[in-house]
Amino acid sequence: MNCRLVPPSLREILFRACVIGALTTAGTVCAFAQDATAPQEQCKIDIHLKPIKMVDGKYSEEAIKKSIEGTVDMCVTVNAEGKVADVKQVSGPPELVQSSIDAVKQWQFERPTNGPAMTTVEMNYSLTKDCPGGGKGTDSGEVKVNIESGHTVEGEAGEPLRIIAKVSQPLPPYPDKARAERRWGQLYLSISVNGNGEVVDAKIVMALDELLDKPALDAVRRWKFKVAPLGGKTTVFPVTLSFKIPCLDQPEDR
């Protein structure tokens, strides 16, 4: 889902929200900001729930003033009629959490087979403005992900895992400062995924930029996939993150 919001400050805001289904798992490195319990333990997701009505989260004046960007992850309980019964924060910038929760409470889903059911909703926020240097367009950053076929961890025999679908794959942030300074290019990483589809290790293979590298690595460590064969050998996947600024005066990709 993509939409544009224009706040009183006239700074164009690009807001994207996506709903992701997940499988019930045990154990994860991600936790609630106020609670050390793993998100999957608090949000046991049995099926993918399809939204039929979505309401956008909005930037608060405080978030705009502070140039806050990022992803808000929420655990949503949906009743037998497809209405949202409860929303809990899993992670995200504090300045964006309440707006996201208020928006998701107005969502409507297709009726689950067995209600109540839980699913994860992910909302991504980023700020845009005119291209630096007088170029046409805006500096809204794009982050594209490419994951190649993997290989089992060195020393382990067996068939490598295959990624069948995303369960949770929040995009790395593209900081306002990095876009304003025209920092772009490709970041190369490797991720180790276990038989439950969890990222258990992530490393930078070729760095890109100090403003982009660490936030990207932190985001990648939160990824989770549906894999086959389930319970298979831990597999290492090469990952390329392409950071781009689609301004018309941007030079050729390097």
Side-chain angles (χ1 to χ4, degrees), residues 155-168:
E156 286 193 12
E159 179 186 357
L161 297 171
R162 291 176 291 108
I163 294 176
I164 298 176
K166 298 183 296 183
V167 173
S168 177

Side-chain angles (χ1 to χ4, degrees), residues 36-56:
T37 306
Q40 281 79 6
E41 294 176 7
Q42 299 197 25
C43 192
K44 296 180 179 179
I45 301 164
D46 301 316
I47 58 174
H48 175 71
L49 300 179
K50 181 180 179 181
I52 57 177
K53 174 188 175 183
M54 301 172 72
V55 175
D56 305 334

Side-chain angles (χ1 to χ4, degrees), residues 10 15 63 99 138 145 148 152 172 194-195 198 204 226 251:
L10 298 182
F15 167 77
S99 171
T138 64
V145 179
E148 300 178 17
T152 54
N194 67 14
E198 301 164 333
I204 293 177
K226 181 178 180 180

Side-chain angles (χ1 to χ4, degrees), residues 63-157:
I64 294 174
K65 186 181 299 184
K66 294 181 178 179
S67 296
I68 301 295
E69 298 180 299
T71 299
V72 178
D73 292 310
M74 293 161 285
C75 175
V76 181
T77 301
V78 180
N79 65 21
E81 296 183 353
K83 295 182 179 180
V84 174
D86 188 37
V87 183
K88 288 186 171 62
Q89 172 199 3
V90 175
S91 62
E95 295 85 355
L96 300 174
V97 168
Q98 191 58 54
S99 171
S100 300
I101 290 176
D102 292 343
V104 172
K105 284 181 178 179
Q106 302 174 63
W107 285 28
Q108 178 78 34
F109 293 83
E110 289 186 348
R111 294 186 178 187
T113 304
N114 296 305
M118 291 184 177
T119 192
T120 299
V121 172
E122 185 181 283
M123 288 190 175
N124 300 316
Y125 295 80
S126 62
L127 293 164
T128 68
K129 55 182 178 297
D130 292 340
C131 285
K136 296 180 180 179
T138 64
D139 73 345
S140 56
E142 295 179 353
V143 183
K144 295 186 177 180
V145 179
N146 180 55
I147 304 177
E148 300 178 17
S149 299
H151 60 83
T152 54
V153 174
E154 186 175 352
E156 286 193 12

